[in-house]
Amino acid sequence: MAQARLSIDLDALCANWQALAAQSTAEAAAVVKADAYGLGVDRVAPALARHGARHFFVALAEEGAQLRRILGDGPEIHVFGGHMAGDAGLIRDAALVPMLNSLDQMLRHAEALPGAPFGIQLDSGMNRLGMEPAEWAALREVALPLGPRLIMSHLACADEPRHPMNAQQLRAFAEMTQGVDAPRSLAATGGILLGPDYHFELTRPGIGLYGGLPFVDALPVVTLDIPVIQVRDVAPGETVGYGNTWTASRPSRIATISGGYADGIHRIMGPQASVRAGETPCPVVGRVSMDLIGIDVTDVPEEPDTVELLGLHQSVDTLAGWAGTIGYEILTSLGRRYDRQYIGG
Ligand SMILES: *Cc1c(COP(=O)(O)O)cnc(C)c1O
C-alpha cells in the first residue's frame, strides 16, 4: 500500500484541551474552524464535547451548521465572521451565535432574526475583525440591553509574551468592556499562556489543542508515516529528482517515498527537511514532487518500509521551520489523500 498514514491522537488532543482549560481561570472553549485545523471536525469536536467542552468557535456560518449536525443540540457555537448577507437561515436553523463585527452586521441580524442570540466582536487594536472603539461607544447603549451572549476581542501578538501590544490590547479591551455584564473573551492559546489577566470569562484555545506552538507543553497529536516505494544505489556524480538539484557526493542509497506537495508537504521545505527511519534522520534529497520525495537512507542500519515525517521526533513546528511558515499552516495543509486513523477519543 502506497498510501501514507496520518494518525490523529484524540486522547492527546483532549489532554491538551484539558491542560489549557486547567490553566485558564475562566471556562475554556474550543476553536475548531477550518475542519478543526485540518484534523477532522467530525471526530475532533465530539471528542472535545465528551471531555467537557461546551463552547465552540468556527469562522463561517457554514462551518457552524456542519458542527451543529455533528454535535447536536446543547453546545454553544460561535461564528467569528459574524452575520453575513445570506446567513440568516443557517444561523437560525443551527442556533448559531454570530459574533457581530460592525453596525452593518448588527442591523442585519436585528432585522433578519429579531431576538436571536448574538455576540459582539470588538477591535482592540489588531484591525482585522470587530467594532472599533468609536463605533462601539456609539452602539453599546443599544447593544447591551439586547443581552449579547459574549463580548470578545483577539490579540495580535500573544505568541510573543514580551510584546507591548499585549498589555495595550488588554487595556483597550478592559476599557471597552467596563461595566459590561456579558461574559468576555480575549485569549486564544497564546493569551492563555500570558496569564489570568487575559482570561476573563471564556478562553478560546485552538492551536494548542492540536499540538502546536506557542503551547510548548502540548502533547503531539499527529503522526505521519510514509511508505517507501523503492530504494536504489546512486553513484557519486549522479543526480536525483527534477532539475538535478541534488548530486551524490558518495555512494548513496536513495529511497523514494510516497508523499509530495499534493499531500501538503510543501515543496519549499525540500532542502532543509528530513524524515526519520526509526531514530535515524534521513535528509530529503532533490525536489519534492507532487506524489514522491527522495530521501537518503545510506546511514540507516536497516532499510525501512515506512518513514516518519511527523511524530515524536519532528513536530508541525519543526516542519513549519523548514517551510518558513507556522504550525497552523502545516496542519491546515495536510492532504486529503492520507489514510486517516483516529486513536482514542
Ligand atoms: C483562530 C482563532 C483563535 C484560536 O487561536 P489559536 O492561536 O489557534 O489558539 C481564537 N480566536 C480567534 C478570533 C481566532 O481567529
Side-chain angles (χ1 to χ4, degrees):
M1 194 166 87
Q3 192 182 26
R5 170 175 300 175
L6 182 70
S7 306
I8 297 160
D9 186 341
L10 294 173
D11 289 337
L13 191 150
C14 290
N16 288 336
W17 181 77
Q18 283 172 323
L20 288 165
Q23 283 201 37
S24 303
T25 54
E27 180 163 0
V31 180
V32 295
K33 62 195 181 191
D35 196 28
Y37 290 43
L39 298 188
V41 70
D42 55 330
R43 303 298 299 267
V44 166
L48 288 167
R50 277 194 293 278
H51 283 75
R54 298 187 301 146
H55 295 262
F56 292 85
F57 286 87
V58 292
L60 319 175
E62 286 78 2
E63 292 180 322
Q66 183 199 5
L67 181 56
R68 180 61 75 202
R69 287 193 292 276
I70 293 165
L71 288 177
D73 294 339
E76 196 138 301
I77 301 174
H78 308 261
V79 181
F80 289 134
H83 188 147
M84 295 290 284
D87 281 353
L90 288 175
I91 290 171
R92 182 194 53 227
D93 294 347
L96 308 177
V97 181
M99 304 306 300
L100 304 178
N101 288 297
S102 63
L103 171 61
D104 279 355
Q105 288 202 343
M106 185 122 191
L107 293 172
R108 180 181 295 129
H109 190 68
E111 193 167 312
L113 302 171
F118 69 98
I120 287 172
Q121 183 155 199
L122 300 177
D123 176 42
S124 55
M126 186 177 184
N127 284 311
R128 190 177 68 168
L129 279 182
M131 300 184 195
E132 306 249 334
E135 188 178 19
W136 174 235
L139 266 178
R140 61 176 272 162
E141 299 315 320
V142 186
L144 290 178
L146 300 174
R149 293 285 178 96
L150 184 71
I151 301 186
M152 64 162 278
S153 188
H154 192 50
L155 297 167
C157 303
D159 57 341
E160 297 175 59
R162 265 175 286 279
H163 202 296
M165 184 67 164
N166 296 319
Q168 188 180 316
Q169 286 192 264
L170 175 60
R171 217 177 311 117
F173 185 62
E175 273 170 27
M176 289 168 89
T177 57
Q178 208 165 24
V180 160
D181 290 330
R184 290 159 301 168
S185 177
L186 180 61
T189 302
I192 293 172
L193 303 173
L194 292 178
D197 287 354
Y198 289 82
H199 296 177
F200 295 92
E201 284 74 50
L202 187 72
T203 57
R204 309 187 305 271
I207 190 71
L209 315 181
Y210 308 103
L213 291 176
F215 185 34
V216 287
D217 297 329
L219 301 174
V221 171
V222 287
T223 306
L224 180 55
D225 294 303
I226 307 179
V228 172
I229 298 182
Q230 196 182 3
V231 186
R232 74 186 67 244
D233 289 307
V234 174
E238 287 192 274
T239 57
V240 172
Y242 282 124
N244 292 1
T245 59
W246 185 86
T247 307
S249 57
R250 60 173 179 169
S252 303
R253 286 289 283 168
I254 300 299
T256 302
I257 62 172
S258 180
Y261 60 76
D263 302 295
I265 305 168
H266 299 306
R267 188 173 175 277
I268 196 169
M269 75 169 80
Q272 277 119 175
S274 49
V275 298
R276 293 281 176 145
E279 298 289 313
T280 313
C282 308
V284 167
V285 296
R287 294 249 169 92
V288 171
S289 34
M290 188 183 292
D291 321 298
L292 300 165
I293 301 173
I295 59 168
D296 187 344
V297 295
T298 314
D299 299 328
V300 179
E302 228 177 290
E303 257 163 38
D305 296 328
T306 65
V307 293
E308 188 177 282
L309 180 61
L310 278 168
L312 282 182
H313 298 95
Q314 19 196 76
S315 69
V316 291
D317 293 290
T318 314
L319 268 62
W322 293 334
T325 182
I326 51 177
Y328 301 69
E329 196 180 21
I330 298 296
L331 283 171
T332 55
S333 302
L334 290 170
R336 292 169 302 278
R337 198 157 52 164
Y338 298 127
D339 168 25
R340 288 178 177 236
Q341 305 237 337
Y342 290 87
I343 301 160

